[in-house]
Amino acid sequence: MRRIWTEAAAALLAVVVLGGCATSKDEVLPHGENTMLDVWNQETGGGAGIGSGQAARQLLDARQGLRRPLTEGDVHAAPAVNAAYTRNAANEIYRQFHRLPNPDLVMYVFPHLAGTDPVPVPGYTTVFPLYQRVRYAMPGERLEDY
């Protein structure tokens, strides 16, 4: 019974795949008489199509919104905004990317024998970081040192 379902599914899949090859490009994407320039003019209001006045008005309003003049506040604030991202001799010594905490782990190794000839090794303490890599914060994300 399971084999019949598998064969039926395979046959259905083959029919669907071969059916996709039976169509032509012109049937799926028919060519019209309009060129790309005609479509552009129609959608942006450059042509004489229906509703071209409203489309042209919307496009002009959007462009005017992008071409607004700078206000006095924008002109006076620009140097301060740009200075925050600019490195110079005065702020070169300050770190922009602070290190994130990476706690040290202390491990005690008990006295043991090591090597092919058992050599006694005295107990000792070692320190290693918790994380393998040093991670850095984005500017302004972490201001305090650890």
Side-chain angles (χ1 to χ4, degrees), residues 30-136:
H31 294 286
E33 297 298 322
N34 294 339
T35 63
M36 200 63 208
L37 181 60
D38 296 336
V39 173
W40 173 262
N41 287 334
Q42 180 182 358
E43 293 299 322
T44 59
I50 299 172
S52 62
Q54 182 181 4
R57 189 170 35 257
Q58 288 175 348
L59 183 63
L60 184 60
D61 291 342
R63 287 180 178 165
Q64 287 300 98
L66 294 174
R67 293 181 183 161
R68 66 174 178 80
L70 292 176
T71 62
E72 285 293 322
D74 293 337
V75 173
H76 292 304
V81 171
N82 292 340
Y85 296 101
T86 305
R87 308 269 326 215
N88 55 29
N91 68 3
E92 185 68 28
I93 60 172
Y94 300 110
R95 293 182 300 178
Q96 286 187 345
F97 298 95
H98 293 276
R99 290 180 61 171
L100 292 174
N102 190 1
D104 289 332
L105 298 178
V106 179
M107 183 178 76
Y108 178 74
V109 179
F110 289 97
H112 60 280
L113 300 174
T116 54
D117 294 330
V119 178
V121 176
Y124 61 93
T125 303
T126 183
V127 178
F128 58 92
L130 178 64
Y131 303 114
Q132 181 180 7
R133 296 182 182 159
V134 175
R135 303 287 182 180
Y136 293 92

